[in-house]
């Protein structure tokens, strides 16, 4: 079929399209409590967060969690998050931006490290599923990088050219994954990372999703 001529956006979900900061911080602190760690603020979380996630815990604990500790924390995090995500919604303006990008004849997809079986019905529940040519969540163990998942995701998109693809996410790992497949990236400051930790990555950093889409259009031109 050849390469498509239009730009393509690969959207991140948590912290980007889905404004779930409160649920994330609550789940993180619930996980920390299992090990007797002090709770952290959103500001501290955004200053220290990184992937793989055990490295984030190392920054806070002074050591990597043991396998047993990681299993407890990971299970606690996901249980708490599943209970509290219901109070979260789409990021302001997200639905309109998705509709606008699609109506302009361009394609878009979601690649998230959130569990695939939970991601798909969540996206569907917001009534935005039709805007995407593919929605992929994580199918393996949690805690790793997005890069290998990005290879599989783009490989499944018929006619999408990585050179005209822009990844929009809220974490440095989104830019790493984009670079890994030859795509571009725009990072959004409203999620898991603060501006200072995003700017060191060397890609455009923006404060709104509207700016992110405008930058994506410029990068993929």
């Amino acid at each position: 079929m050849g390469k498509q001529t239009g730009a393509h956006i690969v959207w991140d979900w948590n912290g980007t399209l889905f404004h779930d900061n409160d649920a994330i911080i609550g789940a993180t602190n619930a996980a920390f409590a299992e090990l007797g760690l002090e709770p952290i603020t959103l500001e501290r979380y955004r200053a220290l967060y990184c992937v793989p996630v055990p490295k984030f815990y190392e920054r806070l604990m002074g050591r990597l969690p043991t396998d047993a500790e990681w299993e407890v924390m990971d299970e606690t995090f996901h249980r708490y998050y599943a209970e509290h995500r219901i109070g979260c919604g789409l990021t302001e303006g997200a639905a309109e931006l998705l509709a606008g990008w699609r109506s302009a004849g361009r394609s878009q997809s979601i690649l998230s490290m959130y569990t695939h079986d939970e991601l798909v019905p969540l996206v569907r529940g917001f009534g935005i599923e039709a805007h995407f040519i593919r929605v992929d969540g994580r199918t393996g163990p949690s805690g790793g990088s997005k890069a290998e998942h990005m290879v599989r995701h783009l490989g499944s998109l018929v006619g999408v050219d990585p050179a005209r693809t822009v990844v929009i996410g809220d974490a440095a790992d989104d830019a790493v994954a984009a670079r890994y497949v030859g795509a571009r990236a725009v990072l959004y400051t409203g999620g898991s990372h603060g501006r200072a930790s995003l700017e060191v990555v060397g890609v455009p950093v923006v404060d709104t999703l509207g700016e992110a889409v405008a930058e994506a259009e410029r990068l993929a031109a």
Side-chain angles (χ1 to χ4, degrees):
M1 293 177 64
K3 300 295 185 183
Q4 70 171 37
T5 57
H8 180 82
I9 291 176
V10 177
W11 291 95
D12 175 54
W13 180 248
N14 302 95
T16 304
L17 288 175
F18 189 44
H19 187 65
D20 59 349
N21 288 349
D22 289 345
I24 290 286
I25 293 300
T28 298
N29 284 330
F32 287 172
E34 290 292 327
L35 270 62
L37 299 174
E38 291 295 318
I40 64 170
T41 63
L42 175 61
E43 290 72 26
R44 182 162 169 76
Y45 177 95
R46 296 177 71 199
L48 296 178
Y49 181 75
C50 64
V51 295
V53 176
K55 293 291 290 182
F56 168 54
Y57 290 153
E58 181 182 29
R59 291 182 174 186
L60 294 160
M61 299 169 64
R63 61 175 176 81
L64 282 169
T66 65
D67 289 346
E69 288 172 335
W70 164 251
E71 187 174 334
V72 169
M73 295 173 81
D74 191 48
E75 190 278 331
T76 301
F77 177 95
H78 286 98
R79 183 180 68 248
Y80 182 101
Y81 180 85
E83 294 170 356
H84 290 79
R85 73 179 188 206
I86 58 174
C88 303
L90 295 177
T91 300
E92 184 178 357
E96 294 78 8
L97 289 166
L98 295 172
W101 187 264
R102 181 189 180 199
S103 67
R106 306 184 184 104
S107 62
Q108 55 199 329
S109 59
I110 291 177
L111 175 62
S112 173
M113 296 299 279
Y114 190 47
T115 307
H116 182 78
D117 290 345
E118 297 186 38
L119 172 67
V120 172
L122 188 55
V123 172
R124 186 173 297 142
F126 282 113
I128 58 174
E129 185 181 24
H131 295 318
F132 306 105
I133 60 173
R134 189 175 180 92
V135 175
D136 280 336
R138 174 179 51 79
T139 55
S142 63
S145 173
K146 187 178 273 189
E148 292 293 343
H149 296 271
M150 187 67 74
V151 172
R152 291 191 291 273
H153 181 73
L154 283 188
S156 69
L157 303 180
V158 177
V160 171
D161 182 0
R164 301 211 62 201
T165 296
V166 179
V167 177
I168 297 179
D170 68 320
D173 191 50
D174 291 301
V176 172
R179 191 174 300 125
Y180 193 72
V181 296
R184 311 291 285 277
V186 178
L187 298 180
Y188 163 63
T189 63
S192 62
H193 283 44
R195 175 173 281 275
S197 60
L198 293 177
E199 287 182 335
V200 301
V201 181
V203 303
V205 177
V206 299
D207 296 320
T208 69
L209 292 189
E211 293 174 283
V213 170
E215 192 66 19
E217 189 168 8
R218 182 187 70 81
L219 290 172

